[in-house]
Amino acid sequence: MKTIILFIACFFLAASAIAADGGLVRLQSKDGVKNTAQRLEKALQAKGLRIFTRIDHQKGAASVEKKLRPTEVFIFGNPKAGTPLMQCKQTVAIDLPQKMLIYEDEQGKTWIVYNDPAYLASRHGLGDCGAKVIKKITGILSAVSTAAAGK
C-alpha cells in the first residue's frame, strides 16, 4: 500500500513539474545573446518567416535606469501557418505570432526559449483540426532554434 501511495505521489510531482514548465521548449546556445540573435534572424529569414519585431528588454530596462542581463524576444510568423490554426480555434490568436526568447542566465549561459506548438494546440483545444500545421510548425521551430543555438 505504501508503495502505491509513493508511486502516486511521485507521479503527481513529476506531472506538476512538467506543467510548471508551462509548455516551453528550452535550448542552450553555444554563444552569447548577440551572436545567437544574429543566427536566429538569419534562420528565420531562410525559412521565409516574417520578423514582425525584435524587442531588446535590456535596452528597455536601461531606459528606466534598471539593469537586466541580455534578453531579446523575436516575434515572427507566417499567415500561411497561423491562419489555419485560427480558423480551427480563434483563441490561438492570443499566442500568435510565434515568439522566441533569447536570454543570458545568472551563470552566463545563453538560452533560447519558445512555446511548444503541441502545448498551444492542447491549450486551445485544436484537436485534429490543426494537427498537420502544428507538426510542421514544430519542425520549423526546432530547426530555427537549433540553427540559432549553433548546433
Side-chain angles (χ1 to χ4, degrees), residues 84-97:
L85 296 178
M86 290 182 275
Q87 288 172 327
C88 290
K89 189 85 171 210
Q90 281 185 288
T91 60
V92 78
I94 194 74
D95 290 312
L96 297 176

Side-chain angles (χ1 to χ4, degrees), residues 9-24 26:
C10 288
F11 174 78
F12 282 111
L13 283 173
S16 66
I18 292 168
D21 192 42
L24 298 176
R26 299 172 195 272

Side-chain angles (χ1 to χ4, degrees), residues 22-73:
L24 298 176
V25 176
R26 299 172 195 272
L27 181 63
Q28 187 176 349
S29 177
K30 70 174 193 160
D31 289 316
V33 171
K34 182 178 179 180
N35 288 340
T36 302
Q38 288 172 344
R39 282 195 302 268
L40 178 59
E41 185 172 356
K42 288 179 185 176
L44 291 170
Q45 291 170 343
K47 289 287 185 185
L49 296 165
R50 180 175 172 200
I51 299 170
F52 296 107
T53 194
R54 185 172 166 177
I55 303 165
D56 185 336
H57 287 293
Q58 187 181 41
K59 282 184 182 177
S63 75
V64 293
E65 299 176 6
K66 302 284 184 183
K67 289 188 180 186
L68 183 66
R69 288 182 305 278
T71 307
E72 289 194 41
V73 174

Side-chain angles (χ1 to χ4, degrees), residues 62-138:
S63 75
V64 293
E65 299 176 6
K66 302 284 184 183
K67 289 188 180 186
L68 183 66
R69 288 182 305 278
T71 307
E72 289 194 41
V73 174
F74 282 73
I75 301 175
F76 60 93
N78 182 332
K80 287 182 183 178
T83 301
L85 296 178
M86 290 182 275
Q87 288 172 327
C88 290
K89 189 85 171 210
Q90 281 185 288
T91 60
V92 78
I94 194 74
D95 290 312
L96 297 176
Q98 294 285 334
K99 292 168 263 326
M100 205 166 275
L101 164 66
I102 303 171
Y103 74 97
E104 180 184 296
D105 71 10
E106 300 84 6
Q107 289 78 38
K109 295 177 185 174
T110 300
W111 295 92
I112 301 166
V113 182
Y114 60 93
N115 287 312
D116 182 346
Y119 169 80
L120 295 180
S122 174
R123 177 180 181 193
H124 296 284
L126 297 180
D128 291 336
C129 182
K132 286 182 182 179
V133 175
I134 290 294
K135 185 176 179 180
K136 185 175 183 177
I137 292 170
T138 299

